[in-house]
Amino acid sequence: MDGREVAPDIAARVRLLREELVRRGLAGFIVPRADEHQGEYVPARARRLAWLTGFTGSAGLAIVLLERAAIFVDGRYTLQVRDEVPTPLFEYRHLTEQPASDWIAANLGAGQTLGYDPWLHTVGEVERYQAAAVKAGGSLVALTENLVDAIWRDQPAPPLAPVVAHELRFAGKPAAEKRHEIAAAMAANGIDAAVLTAPDSIAWLLNIRGGDVARTPLPLSFAILNRDASVELFIDRRKLVAGLESHLGNEVAVQPPAEFGPALDRLGSAGKRVQLDPGSASAWIFARLGAAGAALQRAADPCQLPKACKNPVELAGTRAAHRRDGAALTRFLAWLAREAPAGTLGEIAASDRLEAIRREGENFRDLSFDTISGAGSNGAIVHYRASPQSEKRLAPGTLYLLDSGAQYLDGTTDVTRTIAIGEPSDEARDRFTRVLKGHIALATCRFPAGTTGSQLDVLARHALWQVGLDFDHGTGHGVGSYLNVHEGPQRISKLPNTQPLLPGMIVSNEPGYYKTGAYGIRIENLVVVTPCTDLPDAEREMLCFETLTLAPIDRNLVAPALLTRDEIAWLDAYHARVRETLTPGLDAATAQFLAAATRPIGRTASSS
């Protein structure tokens, strides 16, 4: 559902769902924000949570009982959910602090049955909800039909976007080589087959890309990778462009989606040892394989880690993409500096202008997500999306938060800049500079091999914590190579994470601060993990970050007195690199803007 549309009649839809519950003898139904692939990126057909509740965020869950209902979202959406979802119909709950399992245990009645769609939940989720239902004296039951689908009369059809080859000059490694490397590792571990359910893993493995979901080049499909490196790809053949099967090769057999279940049955009846990722494979697949007699091996998707560690060709591509993207963003910032002071520019017109500039770039294919363009108090909504009803003007004296990115054939970008429109307040400068200090601390960190992102997260928050401030989202997420803008398994977050940061992994560095009803601040660059080569006396293998993103950070929001000499040196050096790299490709007016925007602040700081 488009966030710019008028809110639908939520009450009527909830009433229809409850009527369906009564007809089927159920007490409730769980509606996740997920599709059959358990990913963040879902096609229009799978946006059941948005259709039923009005909530358009990328993570959430609703539970509708006969007499009450609740919606669960994480800290990124605590403000947005109140704007989109009517409170008389739904209680607002925090997804992690007030989990759905607790609500089920407290609200499901004794003897009552709660339904769910097993295609849309992982095994772990089902186990938690089952335990909660039993605690309440009720039961959880898997349904063969999704109840939202039963009442959604104009539900979109499944997507049929073309699937194309991702050229070797961008992918960097032939698909056959990837298949054989992973199959060899599987065989060494006694695995007969791996069921792949994540579309980005399948796209990476086979060097293909699609367009079944907005902003991300995913071909929705399932696959089975066998220990002999052969693959069964389950996808609607109508999606495949001419010549794609030749690209896939003789070791990849294309099957219709309806054959996926029978293929699982064959694995089970043959007693195969099958690897399946409990974090991304649906409960339906686990149940089907188990019922057929397969020996299940719960383990991470075997494509996830090699996909996350970019090869040299992918890294060269993403550096080139970031240079072009940085030039586009700088052209926009120069335009913004001319247009915004009049106070007539709106959030949508601003983001549309940036998109138009990006579309002129070489290898551009799409945005990597819907641009977050938030002026003033809208910037405090972490995943805000402007609509004609909500947008504000970029008025003098306010802050403007712009989080945007693009999909290029050679790389995926994601960058956030916060810009002062006119003269910022002392408080805004203080908060911005504390966020900047956290950003610099992470950007300059050296850390031993084996370190996880959760061990580094405190660096981004330290300066905020010292004055009692924080932000309620992760500090960094992995990023794909012309794939998902949010990619695992790496992340930088308060949440525990056992995945070490490895060379070639791309991750965002994006601390922030949000004052509800006033403004939001975020500074985001993408960085890549690299070996640290400037410590000749190091006694162990050390890693560091190379910053990929190239765009000026607003000097008008920096309070130099809060920065150390080393922090000032980093900012001045970063700006010098931005200026030297981007200027040759800019027009004269933009180059002049960039020269002023990247002036050293060292002298200013020394006099303060």
Side-chain angles (χ1 to χ4, degrees):
M1 185 175 68
D2 191 321
R4 299 181 184 181
E5 292 175 355
V6 176
D9 187 355
I10 303 304
R13 294 175 180 182
V14 172
R15 184 172 63 252
L16 284 173
L17 180 58
R18 285 180 168 144
E19 291 172 358
E20 195 69 24
L21 291 174
V22 172
R23 276 195 292 273
R24 296 171 186 253
L26 298 169
F29 185 64
I30 305 173
V31 184
R33 200 275 186 187
D35 68 358
E36 295 83 351
H37 306 277
Q38 307 301 312
E40 178 182 351
Y41 311 97
V42 301
R45 179 180 179 80
R47 296 176 191 168
R48 300 175 179 93
L49 183 63
W51 182 84
L52 181 69
T53 70
F55 175 66
T56 61
S58 64
L61 173 85
I63 303 175
V64 177
L65 302 180
L66 292 172
E67 301 295 334
R68 64 192 310 177
I71 186 164
F72 303 79
V73 301
D74 64 28
R76 296 171 296 172
Y77 298 113
T78 52
L79 296 180
Q80 179 177 327
V81 71
R82 295 176 183 275
D83 289 338
E84 294 182 335
V85 180
T87 184
L89 291 174
F90 291 89
E91 303 171 30
Y92 304 134
R93 308 276 293 190
H94 195 289
L95 195 60
T96 54
E97 296 173 4
Q98 303 167 302
S101 54
D102 288 355
W103 194 87
I104 292 169
N107 291 283
L108 188 66
Q112 292 186 330
T113 301
L114 179 64
Y116 72 99
D117 183 342
W119 274 106
L120 306 184
H121 298 273
T122 65
V123 168
E125 290 170 345
V126 171
E127 290 171 347
R128 289 194 297 274
Y129 302 152
Q130 177 68 48
V134 170
K135 184 176 180 180
S139 61
L140 186 74
V141 61
L143 305 180
T144 57
E145 181 184 11
N146 188 291
L147 299 193
V148 173
D149 295 355
I151 63 173
W152 189 354
R153 301 305 179 195
D154 58 348
Q155 185 178 23
L160 285 173
V163 178
V164 301
H166 188 50
E167 296 181 46
L168 185 60
R169 65 190 176 107
F170 300 123
K173 180 181 284 191
E177 188 175 335
K178 295 178 183 179
R179 288 191 286 103
H180 281 269
E181 285 180 357
I182 294 175
M186 288 165 45
N189 290 322
I191 301 296
D192 295 308
V195 177
L196 306 179
T197 65
D200 58 316
S201 288
I202 296 168
W204 173 85
L205 179 68
L206 301 179
N207 285 348
I208 57 176
R209 297 295 188 268
D212 284 336
V213 300
R215 310 305 194 195
T216 306
L218 295 180
L220 296 183
S221 55
F222 293 97
I224 297 173
L225 172 62
N226 299 300
R227 65 186 294 157
D228 65 356
S230 66
V231 168
E232 293 176 82
L233 174 63
F234 301 91
I235 192 169
D236 191 322
R237 193 180 291 271
R238 290 176 294 174
K239 296 181 183 181
L240 308 186
V241 301
L244 187 70
E245 291 191 63
S246 175
H247 161 80
L248 293 172
N250 294 332
E251 292 184 313
V252 178
V254 178
Q255 306 277 5
E259 288 300 311
F260 182 50
L264 299 179
D265 295 339
R266 289 192 294 273
L267 289 174
S269 62
K272 298 293 187 181
R273 190 173 183 212
V274 181
Q275 181 171 329
L276 201 55
D277 190 336
S280 59
S282 73
W284 185 92
I285 298 174
F286 271 91
R288 184 83 178 230
L289 281 167
L296 294 179
Q297 177 67 37
R298 295 191 182 193
D301 179 333
C303 299
Q304 190 178 56
L305 199 55
K307 172 168 56 68
C309 297
K310 309 298 182 286
N311 62 51
V313 171
E314 290 173 318
L315 290 176
T318 199
R319 291 185 182 104
H322 276 87
R323 288 193 293 272
R324 296 193 304 274
D325 198 66
L329 181 55
T330 301
R331 285 177 56 197
F332 167 81
L333 292 173
W335 172 84
L336 186 71
R338 297 190 298 269
E339 297 294 325
T344 59
L345 185 63
E347 295 167 346
I348 295 174
S351 62
D352 286 350
R353 175 67 175 180
L354 176 56
E355 179 177 350
I357 295 173
R358 276 197 168 110
R359 285 187 176 277
E360 298 173 4
E362 180 185 2
N363 292 334
F364 177 91
R365 286 299 179 267
D366 197 358
L367 301 183
S368 54
F369 56 94
D370 291 331
T371 299
I372 299 170
S373 175
S377 60
N378 285 341
I381 303 171
V382 176
H383 274 205
Y384 169 75
R385 186 175 177 198
S387 70
Q389 294 75 34
S390 69
E391 75 164 328
K392 294 180 181 293
R393 300 295 174 186
L394 279 59
T398 63
L399 298 188
Y400 175 49
L401 189 152
L402 181 68
D403 187 349
S404 66
Q407 294 282 9
Y408 301 94
L409 288 172
D410 48 354
T412 300
T413 68
D414 182 4
V415 52
T416 307
R417 289 296 182 263
T418 306
I419 303 107
I421 308 301
E423 186 69 15
S425 67
D426 290 342
E427 177 187 283
R429 281 197 174 99
D430 176 273
R431 304 303 191 256
F432 181 91
T433 307
R434 292 182 184 279
V435 171
L436 178 60
K437 288 171 74 72
H439 182 95
I440 295 171
L442 198 55
T444 58
C445 181
R446 294 178 172 87
F447 50 94
T451 300
T452 68
S454 54
Q455 292 174 298
L456 300 182
D457 183 77
V458 64
L459 296 173
R461 302 177 190 269
H462 179 264
L464 290 166
W465 283 359
Q466 300 318 296
V467 290
L469 306 174
D470 202 357
F471 54 94
D472 194 11
H473 60 72
T475 299
H477 56 83
V479 178
S481 180
Y482 186 44
L483 272 176
N484 298 1
V485 74
H486 291 164
E487 177 183 86
Q490 73 276 23
R491 67 171 184 263
I492 302 174
S493 169
K494 287 181 181 179
L495 298 175
N497 181 13
T498 59
Q499 175 59 55
L501 295 169
L502 301 174
M505 285 182 170
I506 298 173
V507 66
S508 65
N509 172 4
E510 52 178 311
Y513 170 74
Y514 311 90
K515 185 173 183 178
T516 302
Y519 57 83
I521 295 168
R522 188 157 64 249
I523 304 171
E524 177 186 17
N525 286 344
L526 298 190
V527 299
V528 60
V529 181
T530 63
C532 189
T533 58
D534 60 350
L535 295 174
D537 298 324
E539 297 181 354
R540 58 185 63 192
E541 181 185 357
M542 299 295 291
L543 302 173
C544 57
F545 293 120
E546 171 197 340
T547 296
L548 297 169
T549 304
L550 297 166
I553 295 169
D554 192 350
R555 297 171 70 263
N556 295 327
L557 278 165
V558 176
L562 291 178
L563 297 177
T564 66
R565 289 183 181 273
D566 286 344
E567 290 166 341
I568 291 170
W570 180 90
L571 183 60
D572 286 348
Y574 174 72
H575 273 157
R577 179 181 164 221
V578 169
R579 184 174 60 252
E580 292 163 6
T581 304
L582 299 185
T583 297
L586 299 176
D587 60 89
T590 303
Q592 186 176 7
F593 161 83
L594 183 60
T598 57
R599 292 194 316 274
I601 66 167
R603 289 188 297 275
T604 305
S606 65
S607 62
S608 61

